[in-house]
Amino acid sequence: MEDAKKVEEETLPEGENQFSEEREDAKPIKLKIIDFDQRPVEVECSPSELLVEVKHQLSELAQTCYMTCYSFELDGEVLNEYIDIGENPKLKNGATLYMKPDLYDEKSVKDHIKRFREILEF
């Protein structure tokens, strides 16, 4: 019975454990983002981040905090905001993304007004 409960332990090379995966693709990626006024903004992000998280970073910058309804374009293609940056082969270090305004719907109007009120509180 004890043999059935016995769990085999995997041995890893010395100095490694299951949580110490340092991969080459885990290096930060620098993206250049061109805003509505054609001003460049540089952001650094992890390959495991989503573009939605980059949008959050941009909402914290004075230059782009009032821009609330937009999508990112790369080479004329609208990018999916809900996949890891590292999963898109075009999104490599030094890539240039363009912020393109989207049409507001009811939800995005409410988000914009909320963000505008937050800015006024500063």
Side-chain angles (χ1 to χ4, degrees), residues 59-101:
S59 74
E60 300 294 322
L61 300 175
Q63 179 178 338
T64 54
C65 66
Y66 62 92
M67 301 175 187
T68 58
C69 190
Y70 59 90
S71 56
F72 290 114
E73 282 188 8
L74 177 63
D75 298 333
E77 178 185 332
V78 176
L79 299 175
N80 182 348
E81 298 174 351
Y82 297 100
I83 63 168
D84 291 346
I85 290 171
E87 289 182 20
N88 188 330
K90 293 182 180 180
L91 286 176
K92 48 191 160 195
N93 204 21
T96 301
L97 303 179
Y98 292 87
M99 294 171 69
K100 297 296 181 181

Side-chain angles (χ1 to χ4, degrees), residues 28 30 54 61 75 79 90 100 106 108 114 116-117:
K30 290 186 180 182
V54 173
L61 300 175
D75 298 333
L79 299 175
K90 293 182 180 180
K100 297 296 181 181
E106 188 175 339
S108 59
K114 179 181 175 187
F116 184 71
R117 288 180 177 161

Side-chain angles (χ1 to χ4, degrees), residues 20 68 110:
S20 67
T68 58
K110 290 177 182 179

